[in-house]
Amino acid sequence: MSFTEKNIYELLPSVYRLRDAEQGGPLKALIEIIAREAGVTESNIAELYENWFIETCQEWVVPYIGDLLGVRGLHTISGSSTVSQRAYVANTLSYRRRKGIAPVLEQLSLDTTGWRAHVTEFFELLATTQYMNHIRLHRTVAPDLRKMNQLDLVNAAFDTIAHTADVRHISSLRGKYNIPNIGLLVWRIQNYPVTLSDTLKLGCPGSPPDPSAHYYTFSPLGDAMPLFNKPQTETLITHISEEINVPALLRRRALYDELEVRRQAIVDGTQPVYNYFDDQPVIENDASTKKHPVFEIFPDGSLTPVPPEEILICNLDKCCVPSKTRAYQQLQADGTYVVVDMPIKVAVDPVAGKFVFSEPATVTTALANYSYGFSGDTGAGTYDRQDSVIEFMELFKATNVNKKQIGVSKTITSLGSEIIVNTISQAIALWNSAPAGAVWIITIMDNRSYTEDLDIIIKEKSRLLIVAASWPVREDPDAFVSIPPRSDGDLGAGNLRPHLNGNITVKGMPAPEDKTGGELILNGL
């Protein structure tokens, strides 16, 4: 109830209100003052109640709650005086509330190192006579040999098979399965997503080789490159991570089972299972929020990927061409079954990092979305490399003459006066014709492969940056241009990893009387 002069005054007996009106309303004036002060008190009480909680408290209360919790920052945050510590204190509070439970260890690992982890309480995996008041039906002593996915995970991070007790010390990496032991398994190798990358088409091994059968490698260099999972974010701190939540290697069995269940669900007319191949939008009927499966294949330059239900997961060590269909049983109303054929477009081996189409002769090229694994942000990669080009960008902006930016892409075209060519060699030819002292940027704007040789000339005091980066289009609200051109010196070094298959020859040409040479920087290629 909110206190107002009206509701307080109306609580008085009518006889007093009549007499007050006859005398000019002094009682009503007094109640107005009381109501105003009561409203202030009520507002203050509500404010005090909100200040009990980190989610609703005023900003000045945040450090006091943090001090009660003993919150100490791991690192000094630049400009922290203007940045709210509410989220940091709230996270610490969630740790305190859940202290002593296993999922907090996973969250601490992610927050302190940036590495995702999985915690295992090894007593849960002991093959012992169970306490009758705490029966764990999911931990049978004898494994079910029909559950191939569980057998595939034996002795791995997400093992669910019971083990006999091991009394050796856990520090020897042997005595894991014992009552007091708990394990925190951390994924130091991280996943790096690649979008619309070229794949390499190779001939299948065999004697004699089959000219109609060709397989593709996700690696544009033709390497055997295993694919990695794109971790799904956990929304609850109390959730123990699953295989889908960590950047683990993709397994054939897990993907095969999901796609088989998905095809059977389509045949049955039920909702398909979405996990590794979740392609549904986060917001219903909003295509811009659509999720992407762990990998996608685009045949012959199409921007529409092969549907997940048309993908078969198998071992392609011998590069076998899959059948064009797979048969599934559909239950009819009369209790009988009919066979329904589901089309198969492509067979994929995520462990070997290659795939083959069911009709190889009809496909000539293929693009792919996938994630590869690496131990850190080193070398060419799809991580953020913006800090590595800041020094060159400052030099570029300080240069007043003989500076230019050229884009290279097989799909992106120019919007205005900017120059975007199809090959790196075309950009290098323009650079070689520039005068000495020029400062240029050649921006490779996609994840495609470029099979060409580069002959680069670095003239006296010239600076050239060849970088894998986007060249963004930024709208100017004050400009009367429907499609604004791209600005020189504007790039985003990240999310791209193009490939050059060829030789690079670099020739310096300083003047004989001047020992000042030039500079060539390759970044992300």
Side-chain angles (χ1 to χ4, degrees):
M1 174 181 176
S2 297
F3 293 102
T4 65
E5 58 185 66
K6 183 178 180 181
N7 59 29
I8 296 177
Y9 192 67
E10 289 179 350
L11 290 175
L12 296 175
S14 58
V15 62
Y16 295 117
R17 284 179 282 163
L18 290 173
R19 291 181 181 179
D20 183 55
E22 293 173 355
Q23 298 178 16
L27 181 59
K28 185 176 183 180
L30 176 62
I31 288 178
E32 287 179 358
I33 297 174
I34 295 174
R36 183 175 67 247
E37 296 305 315
V40 172
T41 303
E42 182 185 38
S43 176
N44 185 256
I45 292 173
E47 189 175 277
L48 287 173
Y49 180 77
E50 291 181 349
N51 285 342
W52 287 354
F53 308 100
I54 187 63
E55 295 85 355
T56 57
C57 70
Q58 293 177 293
E59 193 61 39
W60 66 269
V61 183
V62 171
Y64 289 93
I65 297 178
D67 188 59
L68 290 173
L69 294 170
V71 175
R72 298 291 182 270
L74 294 175
H75 305 284
T76 302
I77 301 176
S78 177
S80 58
S81 59
T82 60
V83 178
S84 174
Q85 298 292 312
R86 186 186 303 272
Y88 185 73
V89 174
N91 281 338
T92 304
L93 181 59
S94 68
Y95 292 147
R96 297 289 194 273
R97 286 172 174 170
R98 298 164 179 84
K99 183 170 62 174
I101 65 173
V104 173
L105 296 176
E106 295 181 354
Q107 190 66 35
L108 283 171
S109 173
L110 180 61
D111 290 346
T112 56
T113 67
W115 295 336
R116 295 179 182 267
H118 173 69
V119 64
T120 298
E121 296 173 286
F122 288 114
F123 79 90
E124 285 273 1
L125 296 174
L126 286 180
T128 60
T129 302
Q130 299 187 17
Y131 180 42
M132 294 303 295
N133 288 339
H134 185 200
I135 297 177
R136 302 190 300 276
L137 296 177
H138 58 289
R139 292 291 182 267
T140 57
V141 174
D144 189 342
L145 300 182
R146 295 168 298 182
K147 296 181 179 180
M148 298 302 297
N149 190 47
Q150 290 186 0
L151 298 177
D152 197 33
L153 291 170
V154 171
N155 294 328
F158 297 93
D159 187 3
T160 59
I161 303 299
H163 295 251
T164 55
D166 192 341
V167 297
R168 290 173 291 187
H169 200 277
I170 195 171
S171 62
S172 65
L173 301 180
R174 293 179 178 178
K176 296 187 297 183
Y177 301 99
N178 207 335
I179 293 176
N181 294 342
I182 185 170
L184 185 65
L185 300 100
V186 180
W187 274 259
R188 297 174 60 187
I189 293 182
Q190 302 299 298
N191 71 299
Y192 294 88
V194 181
T195 304
L196 293 178
S197 174
D198 275 322
T199 59
L200 188 63
K201 187 176 183 179
L202 300 174
C204 288
S207 180
D210 184 357
S212 65
H214 294 81
Y215 74 93
Y216 295 78
T217 59
F218 284 92
S219 167
L221 301 180
D223 299 328
M225 180 182 65
L227 305 187
F228 279 69
N229 177 45
K230 294 190 297 184
Q232 294 183 9
T233 302
E234 298 176 79
T235 57
L236 296 175
I237 194 174
T238 55
H239 178 259
I240 294 288
S241 65
E242 302 173 39
E243 197 172 5
I244 194 67
N245 303 124
V246 298
L249 287 164
L250 292 179
R251 295 184 300 112
R252 297 185 185 108
R253 171 55 62 174
L255 272 59
Y256 173 85
D257 288 347
E258 179 175 330
L259 292 180
E260 286 294 292
V261 172
R262 185 186 183 111
R263 280 188 282 268
Q264 186 64 59
I266 293 175
V267 170
D268 295 339
T270 59
Q271 182 70 21
V273 174
Y274 297 115
N275 204 351
Y276 290 100
F277 292 91
D278 189 356
D279 56 356
Q280 300 303 297
V282 177
I283 301 176
E284 189 175 358
N285 298 325
D286 187 351
S288 62
T289 63
K290 180 180 178 181
K291 297 180 182 179
H292 295 282
V294 288
F295 63 79
E296 293 178 294
I297 297 172
F298 304 82
D300 287 329
S302 172
L303 295 181
T304 301
V306 176
E309 57 269 17
E310 296 184 12
I311 298 175
L312 177 67
I313 304 298
C314 62
N315 188 336
L316 294 180
D317 285 342
K318 296 183 179 179
C319 190
C320 54
V321 177
S323 60
K324 299 177 183 179
T325 61
R326 285 179 69 83
Y328 297 87
Q329 289 187 331
Q330 184 182 59
L331 179 63
Q332 302 299 298
D334 58 1
T336 61
Y337 288 89
V338 296
V339 175
V340 177
D341 289 332
M342 293 290 291
I344 297 298
K345 178 74 173 179
V346 61
V348 180
D349 187 345
V351 176
K354 60 185 181 181
F355 59 94
V356 61
F357 289 95
S358 58
E359 297 182 273
T362 63
V363 181
T364 56
T365 61
L367 303 178
N369 296 345
Y370 61 92
S371 294
Y372 68 93
F374 201 64
S375 55
D377 297 347
T378 305
T382 57
Y383 58 92
D384 186 1
R385 292 174 278 101
Q386 194 69 20
D387 290 345
S388 64
V389 297
I390 287 180
E391 184 177 349
F392 191 95
M393 298 307 298
E394 292 175 350
L395 170 66
F396 185 87
K397 293 176 181 178
T399 302
N400 296 322
V401 296
N402 294 333
K403 69 176 183 179
K404 184 183 289 293
Q405 182 169 348
I406 297 177
V408 178
S409 175
K410 294 186 177 182
T411 55
I412 301 173
T413 58
S414 59
L415 299 174
S417 59
E418 72 269 21
I419 300 175
I420 298 180
V421 295
N422 295 326
T423 65
I424 304 177
S425 298
Q426 291 176 277
I428 294 299
L430 295 173
W431 156 258
N432 289 340
S433 63
V439 179
W440 281 31
I441 301 173
I442 296 178
T443 307
I444 306 175
M445 305 164 62
D446 54 29
N447 282 319
R448 306 299 294 274
S449 297
Y450 295 87
T451 303
E452 49 188 302
D453 294 331
L454 305 182
D455 295 313
I456 306 174
I457 299 175
I458 303 298
K459 299 178 182 178
E460 178 188 1
K461 298 181 181 180
S462 296
R463 303 290 185 270
L464 174 62
L465 169 65
I466 303 178
V467 58
S470 61
W471 192 357
V473 177
R474 306 188 189 276
E475 295 186 5
D476 185 357
D478 299 326
F480 298 97
V481 181
S482 58
I483 302 179
R486 297 176 174 88
S487 301
D488 287 352
D490 188 9
L491 57 84
N495 300 321
L496 294 173
R497 191 183 69 154
H499 300 81
L500 174 65
N501 186 9
N503 299 318
I504 301 178
T505 303
V506 183
K507 181 179 181 181
M509 295 182 63
E513 66 277 4
D514 191 344
K515 301 302 181 181
T516 303
E519 182 180 24
L520 169 65
I521 299 175
L522 299 178
N523 189 299
L525 179 62

